[in-house]
Amino acid sequence: MFCTKCGADIGDNPVCLQCGQPAEGELSVYHVPKSDPMVQTEETTEESVHRHAVRLTLAGAMSSPLLIAAGILVIVTAVLSVVLTGKDGRAAASLSTIISILMGAGLLVTAFTAKSRMDDYTGEGSGLLRVMLMIDYVIGWVVFGFICLALLLLLVFRSTFSALFDWIVTYGRMNGVPGFTPTAYGGVTPTMMLVMYWTVIAVLAAAAVVMFLYTLFYLRGRVAMGRDIMTSLNEGHFYVSHVRAVRGWSLALAIVSLASGVSTTAAGSLSFGGLSPAYGIATIAAAAAHFLIFLWVGNYFIPKR
């Protein structure tokens, strides 16, 4: 038998002794089949098992029934807030409603996608939710900026407060407020006006502080959690930051929303602002959504002792 590469006589040898070319019909002694189980085991043992475990854990978290229920409640809350709001406030509520509905849809898409791809979940379906969380974060800073601007303008142009109050009384339908009469407004003294001015300043300052903390720790924390979940899926480790801040704020918002919803429902019909007792139902639904997020973060991302 002769070598097919160099032409040397190789006899019955499996390879050519001159150039190493395998004899015709013989398999090279250096060839390792790609499907060799021993090679695959050596390459994928610890890393692949750990990566798969991380994906299963995060897929379980993202497909949780708590997240599905929260998504449904977010959509229900948004729809109710528009249906139950007065006609004058319906246009203003539309933008926040669209954002809330898209966020609820993002929660549902993320959850159902993760549920259908438990074994090979890599974050599919979470794009809409992450975009809406980022938009919510930006809106938070915009609202904080407007509050600070209003506070600054009132401090700099203090004399405009009286004119602003006159405009609110004239065009803001203050006559619909129980106990308010034009005669009562006419009896407002400069001292009373000064007290009202500093009360408004204090309320705006408190609102600015709360909005700053809310945006910095809660809205930013949600964005960071979404980013870290995707990073954990891609890199095969389990580390999600800002979970305690998000959990704490979720519980606080649930308590505040529940108190507000119960008080609004129990207050009866309110003539000012077009509100009705049914508006409290939407607020209570929002409280339930916040509480579900509180439970979800605690169940899946807070280490158990």
Side-chain angles (χ1 to χ4, degrees), residues 11-37:
D12 295 328
N13 295 317
V15 296
C16 176
L17 300 179
Q18 298 292 330
C19 65
Q21 174 74 6
E24 188 175 359
E26 295 287 341
L27 192 64
S28 172
V29 293
Y30 303 106
H31 174 71
V32 179
K34 293 182 180 180
S35 60
D36 191 332

Side-chain angles (χ1 to χ4, degrees), residues 52 54 77 160 179 274:
H52 186 63
V54 169
T77 301
T160 61

Side-chain angles (χ1 to χ4, degrees), residues 172-181 271-273:
R173 297 187 303 173
M174 289 286 287
N175 291 328
V177 179
F180 178 85
T181 61
S271 58
F272 178 62

Side-chain angles (χ1 to χ4, degrees), residues 126-140:
S126 64
L128 176 61
L129 177 60
R130 295 184 67 198
V131 170
M132 299 317 300
L133 289 176
M134 181 61 72
I135 292 175
D136 221 21
Y137 176 56
V138 173
I139 291 176

Side-chain angles (χ1 to χ4, degrees), residues 44-55 235-238:
T44 61
T45 301
E46 294 186 9
E47 182 181 353
S48 64
V49 169
H50 179 70
R51 183 184 296 273
H52 186 63
V54 169
R55 287 184 178 177
E235 297 184 0
H237 63 77
F238 189 87

